Amino acid sequence: MAKVLSGAGLRGQVAGKTALSTVGVSGSGLTYRGYDVKDLADKCEFEEVAHLILEGDLPNETQLRDYKASLKSMRGLPQALKDVLERIPSDAHPMDVLRTGCSMLGNLEMEHSFEQQSQVTDRMLACFPSIICYWYRFSHDGVRIDVETDDDSIGAHFLHLLHGKKPSALFEKVMHVSLILYAEHEFNASTFTARVCASTLSDMHSCITGAIGSLRGPLHGGANEAAMELIESFTSPEHAEEEMMGKLARKEKIMGFGHAIYSDSDPRNAIIKHWSEKLSHEVGDTVLYPVSVRCEEVMWREKKLFCNADFFHASAYNFMQIPTKLFTPIFVMSRLTGWAAHVMEQRADNRIIRPSAEYTGEDIREVPAMDERA
């Protein structure tokens, strides 16, 4: 008989092996292929980290230049994909837009062989910002944008498409940091979804579409959106403390705090908090950042709950004038690297992932005649 794993949601159970990242088991709490995420966020651009995760090594100067040039060349969208995006209503969930966009891309540009997996991944990495911004600008502003910018980075490309102008150096830097922090996180729900799909030898687009579907759920993705909804409702730090205490007294769930793996702190939080503060000074904010800090203080004082990576991302994105509904799609633009690398890792040493279940239903019984049924 199969061994029954205890614990809701298989939390704490080892479900496989990976060489891509450590979560909560090293000095920093998070590493990508042996590099501390704090070191990567301080010294690298996102494209360097994407190369590291997908190819196994940090690129040298020539490799990085060539990698960026390759990604730049793949930002355009097929007309058939644009036609689909134009038919998605403005009130659609942006994660559904990305899910549909990824799936449609897989119909138009199929992965015929696993030998194409790196090219297929780079194509998605290059054009996901184009997909979400093309839909957003058409459905909300009524304009058909040119998605092939000459921006040097994926983060700058996204902001350029969204705002119709090149971002400042500070905004581009913060996007690099944000995308690095979200790039990979071991066997979380969406990554495990991608690996399960990969274990059936399915194509890369199907694996990534499935991962997007898992991230779509509010218990996995969307915490930064919920954090934004929370902090923008407060008018001052004092107001924030009063309302937070009320929520705690009513035992309401407050998103953006605590983590399934980390026990004392999320190593990503201090990094994005630092950049949120810098942005607040840059844009002249006097409310949102102080409110966020007070919320952090209250939750730690009252519940010993720390901010996870999502909480200060909310104010950081808001300072860069990113609509709240696009927060989680940015996560997709980043985590695509981790998802795809896990798919590649699964394919390289594959056995189909097929766990057993503990049956809790009726004992064996006979089928009654129709006239004997209640």
Side-chain angles (χ1 to χ4, degrees):
M1 183 176 180
K3 179 182 178 182
V4 176
L5 298 179
S6 62
L10 302 182
R11 184 170 294 185
Q13 302 295 335
V14 175
K17 298 179 180 180
T18 183
L20 297 174
S21 66
T22 64
V23 177
V25 297
S26 65
S28 72
L30 179 60
T31 67
Y32 300 161
R33 294 193 184 272
Y35 293 101
D36 188 321
V37 71
K38 292 180 285 189
D39 205 18
L40 292 170
D42 181 49
K43 298 176 181 177
C44 295
E45 298 179 346
F46 172 62
E47 286 73 13
E48 294 175 76
V49 174
H51 189 282
L52 167 69
I53 292 172
L54 292 167
E55 302 296 333
D57 294 298
L58 286 169
N60 60 33
E61 187 173 354
T62 300
Q63 289 172 323
L64 180 60
R65 183 178 64 248
D66 292 345
Y67 187 48
K68 284 185 173 183
S70 177
L71 291 174
K72 282 184 186 181
S73 72
M74 293 187 282
R75 288 173 175 171
L77 301 178
Q79 186 59 48
L81 178 50
K82 292 180 183 178
D83 292 342
V84 169
L85 294 173
E86 290 184 12
R87 284 163 174 75
I88 301 177
S90 61
D91 61 352
H93 195 295
M95 290 293 286
D96 295 343
V97 177
L98 272 178
R99 184 192 64 210
T100 298
C102 180
S103 185
M104 184 61 184
L105 188 68
N107 283 284
L108 299 171
E109 303 174 6
M110 292 180 284
E111 182 191 40
H112 297 287
S113 164
F114 289 175
E115 293 178 358
Q116 299 175 295
Q117 62 184 7
S118 292
Q119 182 180 357
V120 168
T121 298
D122 288 348
R123 170 66 165 141
M124 287 190 282
L125 193 60
C127 77
F128 271 16
S130 302
I131 289 174
I132 195 63
C133 288
Y134 187 89
W135 165 78
Y136 185 84
R137 294 295 306 279
F138 181 82
S139 63
H140 289 68
D141 302 330
V143 297
R144 292 183 172 93
I145 60 172
D146 179 3
V147 296
E148 297 186 66
T149 73
D150 63 349
D151 295 286
D152 192 52
S153 68
I154 289 170
H157 173 60
F158 169 76
L159 291 178
H160 190 166
L161 294 182
L162 182 62
H163 297 138
K165 62 181 180 180
K166 285 184 174 291
S168 68
L170 175 60
F171 282 17
E172 182 173 12
K173 171 60 179 177
V174 176
M175 286 300 298
H176 276 303
V177 171
S178 175
L179 294 173
I180 288 170
L181 295 181
Y182 276 140
E184 160 59 8
H185 216 238
E186 200 224 57
F187 277 27
N188 54 81
S190 56
T191 298
F192 196 62
T193 299
R195 289 194 76 128
V196 170
C197 190
S199 79
T200 71
L201 302 184
S202 191
D203 65 288
M204 182 67 79
H205 295 96
S206 293
C207 297
I208 301 304
T209 299
I212 293 171
S214 287
L215 185 62
R216 163 79 157 86
L219 292 185
H220 184 18
N224 46 23
E225 296 177 31
M228 188 65 231
E229 183 179 354
L230 176 75
I231 60 178
E232 68 182 353
S233 69
F234 304 142
T235 57
S236 68
E238 293 72 27
H239 182 218
E241 176 152 359
E242 179 183 353
E243 292 297 318
M244 290 287 283
M245 292 298 292
K247 288 178 180 294
L248 291 173
R250 295 188 296 272
K251 301 187 184 303
E252 295 180 15
K253 185 173 180 62
I254 301 175
M255 300 294 286
F257 294 88
H259 196 272
I261 302 297
Y262 301 119
S263 56
D264 299 316
S265 64
D266 186 329
R268 301 166 297 179
N269 174 58
I271 300 169
I272 196 60
K273 179 182 178 181
H274 165 76
W275 288 103
S276 177
E277 183 178 20
K278 277 186 172 293
L279 287 169
S280 73
H281 295 320
E282 177 74 11
V283 303
D285 165 71
T286 59
V287 176
L288 209 58
Y289 182 77
V291 159
S292 300
V293 171
R294 184 64 65 89
C295 290
E296 179 183 38
E297 292 170 349
V298 169
M299 289 298 286
W300 182 253
R301 184 188 71 218
E302 299 296 325
K303 291 293 184 179
K304 290 296 182 285
L305 285 175
F306 53 86
C307 291
N308 57 39
D310 296 311
F311 191 74
F312 279 94
H313 261 105
S315 54
Y317 288 163
N318 182 267
F319 295 145
M320 292 189 288
Q321 300 177 325
I322 299 171
T324 303
K325 66 193 302 182
L326 297 186
F327 286 6
T328 309
I330 298 174
F331 189 118
V332 174
M333 289 160 41
S334 167
R335 185 59 59 83
L336 168 63
T337 55
W339 289 338
H342 276 276
V343 170
M344 296 175 191
E345 193 174 56
Q346 183 69 36
R347 287 173 169 181
D349 184 22
N350 187 58
R351 289 188 68 185
I352 190 169
I353 298 173
R354 200 292 187 191
S356 298
E358 179 184 11
Y359 178 67
T360 61
E362 299 285 348
D363 290 334
I364 190 71
R365 49 186 176 164
E366 293 185 1
V367 177
M370 183 64 72
D371 60 0
E372 297 176 350
R373 300 176 193 176

